Amino acid sequence: MTTMTAAERRREAKAAFDSYMDACPTHDVLAVLGNKWTSVVVFQLTQGPRRYADLARALPGVSAKMLTQTLRSLERDGFVARSVTPSVPVQVEYTLTLLGERLVPLLASVRHFAEHNIADIRAARDQYDATATD
Amino acid sequence: MTTMTAAERRREAKAAFDSYMDACPTHDVLAVLGNKWTSVVVFQLTQGPRRYADLARALPGVSAKMLTQTLRSLERDGFVARSVTPSVPVQVEYTLTLLGERLVPLLASVRHFAEHNIADIRAARDQYDATATD
DNA sequence: CTGCATCCAATATGATACTG
DNA sequence: CAGTATCATATTGGATGCAG
């Protein structure tokens, strides 16, 4: 049973690593935050509860589809609560949950890092692109 | 010239918002961190310099293409330095730059948040999925 | 007003084979 | 060893029209 051992071991290592990646909390959170509209929507909600149309107006770049999708995803993760007022027409309000509020200091950390280092990052990019074009 | 004003204003607002998003440092950093392999590659490099094959071995889930792409992207952003030793065969070593080291505490913040809140997040997901299936 | 369905484009990721 | 090239698939994002 030594035949194929190397390939087998590689496959097993890969499967194990894939499960690890799937289970890794950090990676999970990063995937959520990495979505294009997550951070801006959360930021809007830190300003207070917002209705669907409020968000659409504040975020002119988002399509209706992505706004809905982002809100659903945040709701599913427990960051955002959705409450419907059955009037005519219906009124839907989105609010940050307590769990969602805990996202705020984290986003502040990211912002802090970003604002302090973006100049270096962009300088590096410019230099990289310049030397590549040479 | 009052015709189409509403639509025009919407288009302008969207264009302005798009530029804002593109220019936003936080969003920029989040986009980098959101890539599937960025965090794990950076984490490997916090353990010390690594050669290409070292990384491939430590990260059995990554394809050669994505490993190269991730490293190039990190190099372009100034987080990682690539040094070639012209031997036979060539030896390529990747190291975190000083800028890259500054990523470490940020990733630690993300990890801290993730580890403290992942249980609540997953509970929320389970509940959401359960009530949706009802 | 809210938001789903549909179709489409762009990007990210992956598998495989090949090269200096 | 350290990639590149190519092809294929998956995921993400967007535009439009329709519905409760």
Side-chain angles (χ1 to χ4, degrees):
Chain A
M1 277 294 289
T2 46
T3 322
M4 289 287 295
T5 308
E8 278 179 341
R9 243 180 315 171
R10 238 177 296 125
R11 225 164 312 176
E12 270 173 44
K14 176 166 179 169
F17 192 81
D18 280 351
S19 333
Y20 166 72
M21 286 273 289
D22 283 353
C24 174
T26 301
H27 204 264
D28 201 332
V29 167
L30 245 17
V32 173
L33 260 30
N35 289 330
K36 187 167 179 181
W37 300 104
T38 298
S39 55
V40 277
V41 168
V42 170
F43 179 72
Q44 283 297 316
L45 293 180
T46 62
Q47 316 279 98
R50 290 283 185 277
R51 291 178 50 186
Y52 185 90
D54 293 335
L55 292 169
R57 208 171 320 109
L59 277 18
V62 69
S63 64
K65 175 185 171 178
M66 289 316 296
L67 182 52
T68 300
Q69 189 172 306
T70 303
L71 287 167
R72 284 292 171 285
S73 170
L74 289 171
E75 189 192 353
R76 176 167 182 266
D77 292 346
F79 293 127
V80 161
R82 175 178 183 268
S83 63
V84 182
T85 306
S87 51
V88 180
V90 293
Q91 220 176 287
V92 181
E93 196 176 69
Y94 293 94
T95 322
L96 276 191
T97 62
L98 282 176
L99 183 56
E101 299 281 3
R102 286 188 230 150
L103 225 32
V104 176
L106 178 61
L107 286 173
S109 297
V110 176
R111 181 139 101 193
H112 183 267
F113 172 88
E115 289 177 351
H116 282 75
N117 294 285
I118 194 66
D120 288 355
I121 295 172
R122 295 210 165 129
R125 280 181 192 163
D126 288 347
Q127 197 193 326
Y128 184 95
D129 293 348
T131 56
T133 318
D134 285 348
Chain B
M1 277 292 292
T2 46
T3 322
M4 289 289 294
T5 308
E8 278 180 341
R9 244 180 313 170
R10 238 178 295 124
R11 224 164 315 175
E12 269 173 46
K14 177 167 178 167
F17 192 81
D18 280 352
S19 332
Y20 165 72
M21 286 273 289
D22 283 354
C24 174
T26 301
H27 203 265
D28 201 331
V29 167
L30 245 17
V32 173
L33 259 30
N35 289 330
K36 185 168 179 181
W37 299 104
T38 298
S39 55
V40 278
V41 167
V42 169
F43 179 73
Q44 283 298 315
L45 293 179
T46 62
Q47 316 279 98
R50 290 285 186 275
R51 293 176 51 185
Y52 184 93
D54 293 334
L55 293 170
R57 208 169 323 109
L59 277 18
V62 69
S63 63
K65 176 182 172 178
M66 288 316 297
L67 182 52
T68 299
Q69 188 172 305
T70 303
L71 287 167
R72 286 289 174 286
S73 170
L74 289 170
E75 189 192 353
R76 176 168 182 266
D77 291 347
F79 294 127
V80 161
R82 176 177 182 270
S83 63
V84 182
T85 307
S87 51
V88 179
V90 294
Q91 220 176 286
V92 181
E93 196 177 68
Y94 292 93
T95 321
L96 276 190
T97 62
L98 282 175
L99 182 58
E101 299 280 2
R102 285 188 232 151
L103 226 31
V104 177
L106 177 62
L107 286 173
S109 297
V110 177
R111 181 140 99 194
H112 183 268
F113 172 88
E115 290 178 350
H116 281 75
N117 295 283
I118 193 67
D120 287 354
I121 295 172
R122 297 211 165 127
R125 281 181 192 162
D126 288 347
Q127 196 194 325
Y128 184 94
D129 293 347
T131 55
T133 316
D134 284 349

